[in-house]
Amino acid sequence: MRVSKLAVAVAVIKISPSGGARQFIESLADRLRQQDEGWRSTARSLHEDVLRLRQELLLTRLLLKTKSTEGPGHGQEIARELSQDDPHQLKGGSGCESQTQLTECSQTQICVAQEPCFPPTPPNSQNFSHQDRKWKQDDRLLKHMRFLRCLSGLSRGFESSLCPDGDVVWDSVVQLMDCVVEVFRQAHVGQPLHHPERLHHATRVLARTLSREGTQRGCSAQHFSKVDDLLKEMISLMLTQQKLNSFSVHGVLSECLLALGGSPVVRTALVRLLMSQIIQLAQQLWDTCEKSREELHHQVDWICYENSFYVFWLLEHLAQDNDYNANKELAIQLETKAFSLADEFPLFSLYMWRIGGLFR
């Protein structure tokens, strides 16, 4: 027993870190975080591959149904129509690359049964890691957008057949929406916002897809929860944006949210989230007004206060579509809290009262 204890003690002394236990623990934790991130990255990559194969399978099945019901020439008509669907929306600083990828939608995705769809060759990732990451992000966005556009053209008359594959469509919707949000995440930390017209087009494709009857029937609580979380993040990015010359980012983000609100599935949730943000900010302003005027200037989140008028702008435009049952309780709260803020924040109060009235 003494020999065994001595052997263990010697082994422990030999493997003890030179920098002390704290440094060893921090190094171990960092190594575990890197390993966990590597597993997560691998899982995301595998999920993307599986989703791509399921997308191709769904397009192939719909193409066969289209040929059997409307003849083989109908696929070519869809291809021409898809290639002419707002092609200028995909043009950007990369020349005709976006137009070429749009043409691939009509040539590759429609004829997916004959040849699988592969992305173009990426740039030299060894020398340009940021450029490679940007390329992957753009390719991912365009890939999911092409799928949803092709699906829209092929699924006419077959909406009921999309129900068994609703998770494929919703997975693609969530992935495309995450691509759009990722662009604004990068802009939030100071990266330039490239190709805003591409973001506008992507959100319109999302709204058009979510407005289809077959897509709505295939919705699950998990998928809608992800869409809800992404909407919350977009609103949060808009309210907390404080970079210089951020007006263009706010404008693009507001237009994208408004385009998403064109879908009845998203509109109700978006209105609820926007109203809740205004009510929460109004409560913070009221709590601040209860304190002394000397503390007022230092405790108000002026960045969030100034950006809140983009939220008012969105609510005013969303209120013009009265084909849905808005949350009247939130509208009443807006009007009620508006009067208490009329002295200290008259413009904010006026907008609250106006929005509450529009929704009632």
Side-chain angles (χ1 to χ4, degrees):
M1 181 61 67
R2 285 197 299 272
V3 173
S4 299
K5 290 181 179 180
L6 181 60
V8 171
V10 172
V12 169
I13 292 173
K14 284 185 176 181
I15 67 173
S16 296
S18 59
R22 181 183 180 88
Q23 183 178 353
F24 175 75
I25 292 174
E26 291 177 353
S27 175
L28 180 61
D30 185 60
R31 197 157 60 242
L32 290 175
R33 279 195 298 268
Q34 292 178 0
Q35 189 180 46
D36 182 66
E37 182 59 32
W39 289 338
R40 290 177 184 271
S41 178
T42 302
R44 285 194 296 266
S45 178
L46 292 174
H47 180 266
E48 284 280 341
D49 291 340
V50 172
L51 179 60
R52 178 178 61 84
L53 293 173
R54 297 184 70 188
Q55 288 173 346
E56 293 179 357
L57 182 62
L58 177 58
L59 290 178
T60 302
R61 189 164 64 250
L62 290 175
L63 179 61
L64 293 176
K65 288 184 178 180
T66 303
K67 287 183 177 180
S68 63
T69 56
E70 303 190 30
H74 186 64
Q76 297 178 356
E77 295 178 5
I78 295 176
R80 286 194 298 269
E81 181 177 349
L82 289 172
S83 64
Q84 296 173 0
D85 185 14
D86 294 336
H88 63 280
Q89 296 292 344
L90 297 180
K91 291 182 180 179
S94 57
C96 60
E97 174 189 357
S98 299
Q99 181 62 37
T100 303
Q101 290 171 332
L102 179 61
T103 307
E104 289 176 358
C105 174
S106 60
Q107 295 176 349
T108 308
Q109 291 281 41
I110 296 297
C111 303
V112 69
Q114 303 174 3
E115 182 180 1
C117 179
F118 297 103
T121 304
N124 190 344
S125 59
Q126 295 180 352
N127 298 331
F128 304 99
S129 57
H130 175 72
Q131 181 182 353
D132 180 47
R133 186 166 60 252
K134 181 70 169 60
W135 175 88
K136 290 180 179 179
Q137 177 181 316
D138 292 345
D139 176 70
R140 182 165 163 251
L141 185 146
L142 290 171
K143 179 175 61 177
H144 291 301
M145 187 161 56
R146 283 202 305 268
F147 165 72
L148 293 177
R149 285 162 51 84
C150 295
L151 181 68
S152 177
L154 285 171
S155 61
R156 294 169 185 171
F158 303 106
E159 282 82 1
S160 59
S161 63
L162 291 178
C163 292
D165 301 286
D167 57 338
V168 180
V169 180
W170 273 92
D171 273 347
S172 304
V173 166
V174 171
Q175 291 293 328
L176 178 56
M177 193 170 175
D178 183 68
C179 292
V180 173
V181 177
E182 179 61 28
V183 176
F184 292 112
R185 293 188 193 116
Q186 297 298 322
H188 193 265
V189 297
Q191 296 295 332
L193 187 64
H194 297 295
H195 311 316
E197 70 283 348
R198 184 181 298 172
L199 300 176
H200 292 155
H201 190 70
T203 50
R204 283 195 291 270
V205 170
L206 284 168
R208 193 160 55 238
T209 302
L210 293 174
S211 300
R212 300 183 70 86
E213 182 180 357
T215 307
Q216 297 178 28
R217 289 201 299 264
C219 175
S220 67
Q222 182 181 7
H223 286 122
F224 194 79
S225 176
K226 292 180 179 178
V227 171
D228 198 66
D229 291 339
L230 290 170
L231 288 174
K232 289 180 183 177
E233 186 173 0
M234 293 179 75
I235 296 172
S236 176
L237 290 172
M238 182 171 60
L239 287 173
T240 57
Q241 178 64 254
Q242 55 181 343
K243 300 294 181 182
L244 293 176
N245 300 323
S246 60
F247 297 107
S248 60
V249 178
H250 279 120
V252 176
L253 183 50
S254 301
E255 291 289 349
C256 288
L257 282 169
L258 186 61
L260 289 172
S263 167
V265 177
V266 178
R267 189 183 306 138
T268 304
L270 180 58
V271 169
R272 172 178 52 82
L273 292 172
L274 292 171
M275 283 189 173
S276 299
Q277 284 290 339
I278 292 297
I279 292 173
Q280 181 180 351
L281 179 58
Q283 185 61 45
Q284 293 174 0
L285 295 175
W286 171 249
D287 294 340
T288 304
C289 291
E290 292 292 292
K291 301 176 182 178
S292 63
R293 290 182 176 271
E294 289 75 14
E295 299 176 348
L296 177 64
H297 179 78
H298 299 287
Q299 294 190 358
V300 173
D301 187 351
W302 295 111
I303 298 297
C304 187
Y305 173 78
E306 292 172 359
N307 293 335
S308 65
F309 290 94
Y310 289 98
V311 178
F312 285 126
W313 179 85
L314 279 169
L315 286 171
E316 184 173 353
H317 283 75
L318 291 171
Q320 297 174 7
D321 298 325
N322 295 318
D323 57 340
Y324 60 95
N325 183 21
N327 195 325
K328 295 184 179 180
E329 294 183 2
L330 290 176
I332 294 174
Q333 289 186 47
L334 282 175
E335 291 182 318
T336 303
K337 291 182 178 295
F339 295 106
S340 59
L341 297 173
D343 292 334
E344 297 291 346
F345 302 96
L347 185 60
F348 188 87
S349 173
L350 179 61
Y351 266 99
M352 287 184 65
W353 175 79
R354 172 177 169 76
I355 296 299
L358 286 175
F359 276 91
R360 290 187 63 190

